[in-house]
Amino acid sequence: MTDALIFDFDGLLMDTESTLLESWRYEWRQHGLELAVEGFFADHGGDVNEQRYARLAAAVGVSYDRAVSHSRRTDYREKLHAGLEPAPGIRDWIEQAAGLRLAVASSSPVDWVCGNLERVGLLDAFEVIAGGNEVAAHKPDPAVYRLALERLGIGPERAVAFEDTPHGVAAAQAAGLRCVAVPNAFTPVTRFAAADLVLAGAAGTPLGTVLGKLS
């Protein structure tokens, strides 16, 4: 029996991956350069923005001003976020989850997750928020999922995880959870063979149908 659903945040509940990529594309173009998307997204949940700034600095040369670059990029990303909504079908899943406990297990900091969910009116739907700033290691390490389970007070056999990346799937399964993969636009579906179930998206697939396939 499933008592709880534990969702990743970035790329799953909201497509913040696209706004991240677009903010970096925008910043590279301010220097007359184009960002190569290949290798942009890391195969783990940690913050790699410092490496991204270093890569841009190397491409620009001695004229690069990291502080100005950071301020301009983050301001642009905030503008993109102003109109960002939950991923298609997510609101429906939350409405259909009546009777189930909902949690988030994200590699991002808690304030980032809560701020975005509050802006779109979904924060109150989640009983537990576990963030990457609260654990010692990021996905594929299972620490943040174990923290979410601890706060829910249940064992992994009573919950289902939802993820958009292979390292997220690995983290959930390492914590003992069944995991539904909803691949993001930047990761080939072929990399999700380990998931218990792979969906093209949340839209058009009722939550009850998803959970029924798992059982």
Side-chain angles (χ1 to χ4, degrees):
M1 183 175 178
T2 300
D3 293 330
L5 308 179
I6 308 178
F7 295 88
D8 175 50
F9 178 70
D10 294 290
L12 192 285
L13 290 179
M14 298 181 72
D15 187 14
T16 56
E17 305 285 19
S18 290
T19 64
L20 176 66
L21 175 60
E22 286 308 311
S23 74
W24 278 100
R25 278 177 167 158
Y26 171 82
E27 183 55 28
W28 276 66
R29 287 168 182 163
Q30 304 314 300
H31 304 278
L33 302 169
E34 284 295 326
L35 170 66
V37 178
E38 184 178 356
F40 177 81
F41 291 101
D43 281 334
H44 60 80
D47 186 347
V48 295
N49 274 333
E50 286 308 315
Q51 293 94 311
R52 290 171 178 146
Y53 282 118
R55 181 182 171 193
L56 178 55
V60 174
V62 294
S63 65
Y64 182 70
D65 187 319
R66 197 263 192 214
V68 170
S69 180
H70 173 73
S71 178
R72 182 168 54 209
R73 185 190 70 79
T74 54
D75 285 350
Y76 182 70
R77 194 181 185 197
E78 283 302 313
K79 292 177 182 178
L80 296 178
H81 274 301
L84 190 65
E85 286 292 318
I90 290 297
R91 288 190 188 274
D92 293 335
W93 275 5
I94 291 173
E95 291 177 2
Q96 295 161 13
L100 294 172
R101 303 167 69 191
L102 303 184
V104 174
S106 173
S107 289
S108 291
V110 170
D111 59 354
W112 168 259
V113 175
C114 290
N116 280 287
L117 288 176
E118 185 174 30
R119 183 178 57 76
V120 296
L122 290 183
L123 182 58
D124 290 345
F126 293 92
E127 178 180 342
V128 165
I129 306 289
N133 61 309
E134 301 181 291
V135 293
H138 296 293
K139 301 173 186 177
D141 190 283
V144 74
Y145 274 107
R146 288 174 176 160
L147 178 60
L149 288 167
E150 178 184 337
R151 288 177 175 170
L152 288 166
I154 61 173
E157 72 282 355
R158 309 290 288 187
V160 173
F162 292 79
E163 277 284 353
D164 72 305
T165 63
H167 59 266
V169 172
Q173 292 179 330
L177 292 153
R178 293 163 291 165
C179 188
V180 177
V182 185
N184 62 49
F186 309 104
T187 310
V189 176
T190 53
R191 294 189 59 198
F192 292 86
D196 295 277
L197 179 65
V198 181
L199 302 175
T205 306
L207 181 62
T209 301
V210 175
L211 299 180
K213 288 181 178 179
L214 285 176
S215 60

